[in-house]
Amino acid sequence: RRYGLWFRLRKLILWLLGMYIAIPFLVKLCPAIQAKLVFLNFVRVPYFIDLKRPQDQGLNHTCNYYLQPEEDVTIGVWHTVPAALWKNAHGKDQLWFEEALGSSYPVILYLHGNAGTRGGDHRVELYKVLSSLGYHVVTFDYRGWGDSVGSPSERGMTYDALHVFDWIKARSGDNPVYIWGHSLGTGVATNLVRRLCERETPPDALILESPFTNIREEARSHPFSVASTIYRYFPGFDWFFLDPITTSGIKFANDENVKYISCSLLILHAEDDPVVPFHLGKKLYNIAATSRSFQDYKVQFVPFHTDLGYRHKYIYRSPELPRILREFLGKSEHEHHH
């Protein structure tokens, strides 16, 4: 009996060892696996919400649109008006909401992170906070997320964001337009703003919440990544696990992009962030703060202490947030009008 047990145990150990060695080769041969893990667009939480009905999430002053950035690509968009327009918004159609962008309130284009949809709980809570502070909030699901049609890619996500930005600008008159990216959305945000600055139509400010430097550094230090914990000391870790991400055309090079961005920049990061380590946000700030492209603009880093427990996605809970935004964006609005 003891021999039979030892035989089974040895078989299990050999099987585990075989898997341990096989997984890196599988990832290397199928870069699409890594791409899926970066985007997590197949994770739809909360599962049972109807994205056509933002009012089910308590967003009674929100309209659901569909835009078409390219042929065969349709993206779902939510537009939440400032709380002051809440009563007027009741029962109004898409045309009313589009025209409301021309009213004298600033607009925030919000670019969400990976996994989930525009209806994710922490995202909805942030829209409510921003609306109560007097902002229009326009957000959308990139192609391949939520009910948006298409296949995810960094290029596609950036193009979708550009399309929505231009759509807002065509309707918002002289009102300031700010871009807010969270987590993976910070990569889309800096891609977008770099393009906008290159074509000389920069936004009025850029806000990065829980940003990283680039996707390789984020993947290497992501504490939830099984690969990084089990394989961190595996010979050729970068070659097996990080190179396939780059091979898939995924860079999200915030550290490179900030060198080409010329508008005010605000970075918000919680010290206890378990997904994007705090030191990556700080490192990005240091790169931006010393970049020549920002020499005429305000660059600010706001840390949130570990004791507050805001982690990766709860900075919207900060009672300080309204003041931080007022002081920072008030300055950009001032620059905008003079």
Side-chain angles (χ1 to χ4, degrees):
R1 251 182 79 191
R2 189 184 292 168
Y3 176 77
L5 186 66
W6 166 240
F7 178 74
R8 283 207 296 272
L9 189 63
R10 203 174 63 171
K11 215 162 107 176
L12 178 67
I13 290 168
L14 284 171
W15 182 81
L16 288 171
L17 190 65
M19 285 297 286
Y20 180 74
I21 293 166
I23 285 170
F25 286 97
L26 189 66
V27 169
K28 184 69 184 173
L29 292 170
C30 307
I33 294 173
Q34 283 292 64
K36 275 204 169 341
L37 292 175
V38 170
F39 296 138
L40 290 178
N41 58 305
F42 53 90
V43 179
R44 282 204 56 171
V45 242
Y47 275 100
F48 301 109
I49 77 166
D50 181 354
L51 291 168
K52 291 186 179 65
R53 293 177 51 84
Q55 60 270 32
D56 293 353
Q57 305 309 110
L59 293 171
N60 296 323
H61 48 324
T62 298
C63 188
N64 180 60
Y65 310 139
Y66 291 96
L67 301 178
Q68 197 168 5
E70 291 180 294
E71 211 183 337
D72 304 329
V73 175
T74 308
I75 56 173
V77 181
W78 280 1
H79 171 199
T80 303
V81 293
L85 301 178
W86 188 77
K87 280 193 172 68
N88 299 350
H90 194 70
K92 295 295 197 298
D93 61 359
Q94 179 170 339
L95 189 64
W96 182 89
F97 273 83
E98 287 192 37
E99 285 174 353
L101 283 169
S103 60
S104 58
Y105 294 94
V107 186
I108 290 178
L109 168 57
Y110 177 78
L111 304 169
H112 70 62
N114 68 359
T117 67
R118 61 191 184 276
D121 295 345
H122 64 283
R123 294 164 189 163
V124 168
E125 293 308 316
L126 179 66
Y127 313 153
K128 289 176 182 172
V129 169
L130 296 176
S131 166
S132 73
L133 297 176
Y135 299 100
H136 287 276
V137 183
V138 177
T139 186
F140 67 96
D141 280 314
Y142 316 104
R143 60 187 72 187
W145 270 260
D147 56 356
S148 297
V149 179
S151 300
S153 69
E154 180 173 355
R155 187 206 70 84
M157 294 162 80
T158 305
Y159 193 82
D160 294 345
L162 181 65
H163 183 81
V164 178
F165 178 84
D166 286 340
W167 179 88
I168 292 168
K169 286 299 277 186
R171 290 158 180 75
S172 60
D174 285 337
N175 297 323
V177 178
Y178 308 119
I179 289 167
W180 183 312
H182 172 242
S183 192
L184 190 68
T186 64
V188 183
T190 66
N191 280 349
L192 168 63
V193 176
R194 177 175 174 173
R195 282 182 70 167
L196 294 176
C197 291
E198 281 168 356
R199 71 170 202 195
E200 299 183 355
T201 57
D204 292 278
L206 170 61
I207 299 161
L208 300 177
E209 179 191 356
S210 319
F212 48 85
T213 43
N214 60 65
I215 202 69
R216 281 179 78 101
E217 288 200 348
E218 161 57 7
R220 184 183 286 118
S221 45
H222 195 310
F224 295 157
S225 128
V226 176
S228 64
T229 24
I230 304 179
Y231 291 102
R232 184 157 290 159
Y233 305 107
F234 193 88
F237 175 80
D238 283 27
W239 188 77
F240 278 112
F241 290 98
L242 303 182
D243 290 358
I245 299 177
T246 320
T247 309
S248 303
I250 304 172
K251 296 190 174 70
F252 291 116
N254 288 336
D255 49 357
E256 199 49 42
N257 288 340
V258 293
K259 297 172 187 169
Y260 298 91
I261 287 175
S262 39
C263 68
S264 298
L265 170 67
L266 172 64
I267 296 178
L268 309 169
H269 214 134
E271 291 176 358
D272 59 338
D273 189 327
V275 179
V276 180
F278 178 77
H279 71 87
L280 290 185
K282 191 76 174 135
K283 184 175 176 182
L284 182 66
Y285 165 74
N286 291 333
I287 295 168
T290 56
S291 165
R292 281 184 48 205
S293 66
F294 283 108
Q295 61 192 14
D296 298 328
Y297 297 94
K298 190 173 175 184
V299 179
Q300 189 181 349
F301 183 84
V302 179
F304 293 87
H305 196 273
T306 304
D307 294 350
L308 297 166
Y310 296 154
R311 298 170 65 78
H312 184 57
K313 52 189 186 187
Y314 302 113
I315 286 175
Y316 71 81
R317 292 178 179 166
S318 169
E320 293 296 306
L321 192 60
R323 179 190 59 77
I324 292 164
L325 293 177
R326 198 169 49 245
E327 288 176 4
F328 179 79
L329 295 177
K331 174 116 171 67
S332 332
E333 273 165 42
H334 183 73
E335 282 168 8
H336 176 85
H337 291 304
H338 291 279

